[in-house]
Amino acid sequence: MRALILNCTLKASPKSSSTEAFAKVLEGQLKAEGCGVEMLRLVDMNIMPGVTSDEGEGDDWPRVHDRIMAADIVVMATPTWMGQASSVCQRALERMDGMLSESDDTGRPAAFGKVGGVIITGNEDGAHHIVGTTCQALIDIGFTIPGHSWAYWHLGPGPGPDYTETDEGHDYADRVARNAARNLAGLAKVLKPETYPVPESGE
């Protein structure tokens, strides 16, 4: 089993990312469930605007796309800004729209058998809104979303410490993240495409 976490922080490396720190809780549990896990910080790449899987010269999305295609589990990890997912997360979802026109050798949609989830951090409300809109986008692309496949940490409206600057709320949020990882891994094992027979032509 392979899992890919797309860290959609606005902070370029090597700046500390609370979204990455929280996503690592999920990552740890995914590894405990037997998954190989890779995390990509998208802001470090040149992700060009567009809705295809390759927008031409200089576009770094094709290598992200390759990793998505190789993964059984894809998790969108995003901070909350003004009650919304980050612009990096939105751009990633727009680029994943290109998968709608792609299929495997058997004609299955590109995201068939892949499981999606969401990790959210922030000091503002809006987490449930982000879960709803991000999961809907992943469903549209073809991902399967298990129950309780998301987790969030925030301290309510207004400014405040980041996830990496306080222990407040960690116990509950981290526990939810670990449970989300268990659900993601459990469903991904069931939905592996090779477990489904390919129907004969005309069936």
Side-chain angles (χ1 to χ4, degrees):
M1 300 293 294
R2 301 177 66 174
L4 176 67
I5 300 173
L6 299 180
N7 179 7
C8 299
T9 179
L10 299 182
K11 298 176 180 176
S13 298
K15 292 181 180 178
S16 174
S17 165
S18 288
T19 300
E20 180 172 312
F22 187 36
K24 281 186 176 296
V25 176
L26 181 106
E27 177 184 39
Q29 187 62 47
L30 285 171
K31 289 180 177 178
E33 300 296 319
C35 297
V37 186
E38 180 180 18
M39 188 183 309
L40 299 178
R41 191 182 291 208
L42 297 184
V43 74
D44 290 339
M45 304 177 184
N46 182 30
I47 308 298
M48 296 174 65
V51 292
T52 72
S53 294
D54 189 344
E55 289 292 329
E57 184 177 356
D59 185 16
D60 285 337
W61 183 257
R63 61 190 179 102
V64 179
H65 175 268
D66 288 345
R67 286 167 168 80
I68 292 172
M69 294 304 297
D72 304 295
I73 300 166
V74 177
V75 177
M76 307 300 296
T78 178
T80 307
W81 290 109
M82 300 181 182
Q84 309 292 325
S86 73
S87 58
V88 176
C89 181
Q90 182 60 33
R91 177 161 294 189
L93 292 171
E94 289 169 352
R95 294 304 302 274
M96 290 166 72
D97 185 78
M99 294 172 64
L100 289 170
S101 61
E102 299 170 5
S103 59
D104 64 17
D105 293 340
T106 70
R108 296 184 176 106
F112 181 90
K114 299 183 185 298
V115 175
V118 189
I119 284 287
I120 303 161
T121 58
N123 294 317
E124 306 154 8
D125 203 358
H128 285 91
H129 167 73
I130 295 171
V131 170
T133 55
T134 304
C135 285
Q136 181 60 57
L138 291 172
I139 289 168
D140 287 349
I141 295 162
F143 288 86
T144 299
I145 309 296
H148 200 156
S149 59
W150 51 269
Y152 69 87
W153 176 91
H154 72 72
L155 297 181
D162 291 334
Y163 177 87
T164 55
E165 298 172 338
T166 179
D167 291 331
E168 187 176 352
H170 281 218
D171 180 64
Y172 176 78
D174 291 0
R175 179 157 34 93
V176 172
R178 288 190 290 270
N179 285 335
R182 293 183 182 104
N183 283 354
L184 287 164
L187 184 58
K189 291 173 185 176
V190 174
L191 293 181
K192 290 283 284 184
E194 55 265 30
T195 66
Y196 288 83
V198 179
E200 295 294 333
S201 177
E203 288 187 7

